[in-house]
Amino acid sequence: MAYFFLPLILFFQLGATCFAAIDGRGEIAIETRYFEDDQNTKTMDKSGAIFSRVDSTLTLETYPNFEGKFRGFARVDREDEHRNVVKFEDFYLGYLFEEPDITIKLGWHMFNWTATEAFHPADVINSRNLDSNLETPEKFGEMGLTVTKNFEVASLSFFFFPHYEDPMVPAFSSRFGAGYNIHDARWVEFDGTQSADSWGIQGGMRFTTTIGDADISLHGLHMMDRHHPLILLDESANLSPYYFKVNQFGGTMSYVLFEGMIYKFEGAYKDFTNKQVTGFTLSHPLLAEGIQVVGRSKDHGQLANGLEKSFLIFNSYDFTLILEHQIYLGINPATRAGLGIFQNDVLLGGRLAFNDAMGKEMLLLLIADVERSQEIYFNFKYAQRLTDTWSINGGIRLFHAPKKEATIKGMQLLNDSDHIFATLTRFF
């Protein structure tokens, strides 16, 4: 990993001693979460954390085509040390070749390949912190090399990623967890072999363009899938998440149907080519207590469609009505219920912007499973600035998904995880 750090460190040191322009900003926040008491002494019903983020861009006046970018965050939780984290989001060195209009970036990268509010089948490169917001979990930067060729109304990008960034799985004490201690990630290659070695070949390409009122993207990826693990027993009889190599093809589209109405599409197909996995066993008493085992990850499609309609209320407030649906295709209902929280769900929501000096905004989301009865997620959030440098946000999340069968699936994992949350942030 040192050879990825070296050019970045040298560039920032060079910028500190040469003619350079540094654009920097950051934030520090106090976060709180309070869950409904589950009468379980092993879980954490509250948390209080200090969160910080630094975001800076460095350019050299004598070499304007060079750019250095650093963006990362850290969290320290005084109640639950398992939530402590330090991660890069963006940390790269970039160079623009003007004549062919090609940009090359080396380091850690953050990608935003989504068009929809809560369902993101195409946005798969960055690993997530699964002990964060359910609809928009925190992302971790992905180490690698990107090369982008820009055209007049389009761009073509190529990617190489040599490292598998481990997602942050909720600990046994988390109310978002399964109540078990999940050990280190295991990576399953195309030939079926698995190990704890987090180095391997990944890559892909993406094409984006604008056609009339439509923004369109298409991608193809050869990746270690970090979004549909199997929780299995490793050779030491520890529960570990097993992640599988996948070929993924998909894309996104945002299309303005008429003034104030936008149609959004996001989809992907995952092809897991390995036929068997070696090096683990399925026989253990813990597996009878709710940990799901569905065999090898299944080839499947994942589609999300959405509509957004904006309204002007009293000539002052902007209200956006949001309607979305996501479904897993190519697999039976029992299998797809175990692949994700939102396996066949519809979202109805609204965002109200007050358009005042304090930037007051309210967001309301209701997500319900249309196939599995009594699986409902409710989220309300309010945010505003207090001053030019202080802001506050808070809200409530409610889950209703009682256990209906022997194996816990989908949203049932989050049943009785109702909680309120608040964050006070100072920007600098």
Side-chain angles (χ1 to χ4, degrees):
M1 188 178 296
Y3 53 84
F4 274 89
F5 276 108
L6 185 58
L8 302 173
I9 294 173
L10 290 176
F11 180 77
F12 277 89
Q13 287 181 337
L14 181 64
T17 57
C18 299
F19 294 102
I22 300 177
D23 179 19
R25 55 190 177 274
E27 63 186 86
I28 185 167
I30 300 174
E31 303 175 331
T32 59
R33 298 191 308 189
Y34 289 90
F35 290 83
E36 181 183 6
D37 189 357
D38 63 354
Q39 305 299 318
N40 185 349
T41 59
K42 296 181 179 180
T43 59
M44 295 287 184
D45 294 332
K46 63 179 181 178
S47 67
I50 300 295
F51 175 90
S52 62
R53 173 179 281 120
V54 176
D55 186 352
S56 63
T57 302
L58 186 147
T59 56
L60 303 181
E61 295 180 2
T62 53
Y63 301 98
N65 288 11
F66 277 102
E67 179 189 24
K69 175 72 172 178
F70 176 80
R71 187 171 187 263
F73 72 90
R75 175 183 290 106
V76 178
D77 194 313
R78 65 183 180 87
E79 301 286 345
D80 188 356
E81 64 179 10
H82 296 99
R83 297 189 68 229
N84 296 348
V85 61
V86 178
K87 289 291 183 180
F88 296 138
E89 293 174 296
D90 283 308
F91 184 24
Y92 61 77
L93 169 64
Y95 186 82
L96 170 63
F97 295 90
E98 293 183 357
E99 184 60 31
D101 199 358
I102 292 177
T103 301
I104 298 177
K105 297 178 180 179
L106 175 68
W108 280 259
H109 310 270
M110 181 73 71
F111 299 93
N112 184 23
W113 288 9
T114 188
T116 51
E117 181 74 30
F119 308 134
H120 313 299
D123 192 20
V124 299
I125 291 181
N126 298 106
S127 291
R128 266 69 164 180
N129 176 6
L130 302 181
D131 198 354
S132 60
N133 301 335
L134 179 62
E135 65 281 356
T136 55
E138 294 170 344
K139 293 181 181 179
F140 305 148
E142 188 78 7
M143 179 198 296
L145 173 70
T146 71
V147 179
T148 301
K149 165 62 178 173
N150 294 308
F151 303 94
E152 185 174 351
V153 292
S155 66
L156 180 63
S157 298
F158 297 89
F159 312 98
F160 170 70
F161 307 115
H163 184 258
Y164 311 145
E165 183 68 35
D166 193 356
M168 189 170 175
V169 179
F172 69 95
S173 57
S174 173
R175 294 293 297 274
F176 290 150
Y180 298 98
N181 189 17
I182 305 300
H183 287 254
D184 295 338
R186 309 307 296 259
W187 311 102
V188 182
E189 301 290 344
F190 271 129
D191 60 3
T193 58
Q194 58 83 18
S195 73
D197 181 11
S198 58
W199 294 91
I201 296 176
Q202 303 174 107
M205 61 181 296
R206 186 177 190 237
F207 176 75
T208 64
T209 188
T210 299
I211 303 176
D213 293 328
D215 294 326
I216 301 170
S217 75
L218 298 171
H219 71 261
L221 293 170
H222 170 91
M223 292 285 296
M224 185 66 73
D225 179 64
R226 263 71 62 79
H227 301 273
H228 302 93
L230 299 182
I231 306 299
L232 304 172
L233 290 167
D234 60 26
E235 62 276 8
S236 300
N238 295 317
L239 286 170
S240 297
Y242 280 71
Y243 300 96
F244 294 76
K245 270 289 181 70
V246 66
N247 289 321
Q248 173 169 311
F249 308 94
T252 67
M253 181 178 71
S254 295
Y255 179 69
V256 180
L257 297 175
F258 49 86
E259 184 177 359
M261 175 71 83
I262 302 176
Y263 167 72
K264 297 183 175 183
F265 168 83
E266 193 167 332
Y269 181 79
K270 295 179 181 292
D271 175 22
F272 297 92
T273 59
N274 60 295
K275 301 305 180 185
Q276 63 181 0
V277 182
T278 61
F280 64 82
T281 176
L282 304 182
S283 177
H284 194 277
L286 286 179
L287 297 180
E289 299 181 14
I291 295 295
Q292 184 189 11
V293 177
V294 296
R296 185 180 64 87
S297 291
K298 304 294 184 180
D299 299 348
H300 63 274
Q302 192 176 346
L303 298 180
N305 290 274
L307 288 172
E308 288 190 6
K309 179 67 173 73
S310 298
F311 303 89
L312 183 62
I313 302 176
F314 304 130
N315 292 321
S316 299
Y317 308 139
D318 287 325
F319 178 75
T320 302
L321 181 66
I322 306 168
L323 178 64
E324 294 180 0
H325 174 254
Q326 175 175 262
I327 186 172
Y328 289 78
L329 300 174
I331 49 179
N332 61 55
T335 300
R336 68 176 172 230
L339 287 179
I341 300 296
F342 305 126
Q343 55 94 33
N344 187 3
D345 292 68
V346 62
L347 175 150
L348 177 63
R351 181 184 291 105
L352 179 64
F354 289 79
N355 294 327
D356 60 357
M358 294 294 99
K360 297 186 184 73
E361 183 175 287
M362 292 191 298
L363 175 66
L364 178 66
L365 300 177
L366 180 67
I367 302 177
D369 197 306
V370 299
E371 189 172 69
R372 296 169 58 82
S373 63
Q374 300 186 57
E375 294 195 4
I376 301 172
Y377 167 54
F378 171 86
N379 180 25
F380 171 78
K381 182 178 180 180
Y382 174 82
Q384 72 162 78
R385 290 198 303 272
L386 298 177
T387 68
D388 290 341
T389 57
W390 289 89
S391 73
I392 190 170
N393 72 74
I396 185 171
R397 297 187 180 96
L398 304 174
F399 305 88
H400 178 72
K403 186 177 179 180
K404 298 186 286 288
E405 57 266 299
T407 301
I408 298 175
K409 296 181 180 180
M411 201 182 298
Q412 293 176 11
L413 183 66
L414 302 174
N415 191 46
D416 296 328
S417 295
D418 303 344
H419 65 280
I420 59 175
F421 60 94
T423 303
L424 177 65
T425 304
R426 169 68 160 89
F427 298 94
F428 56 89

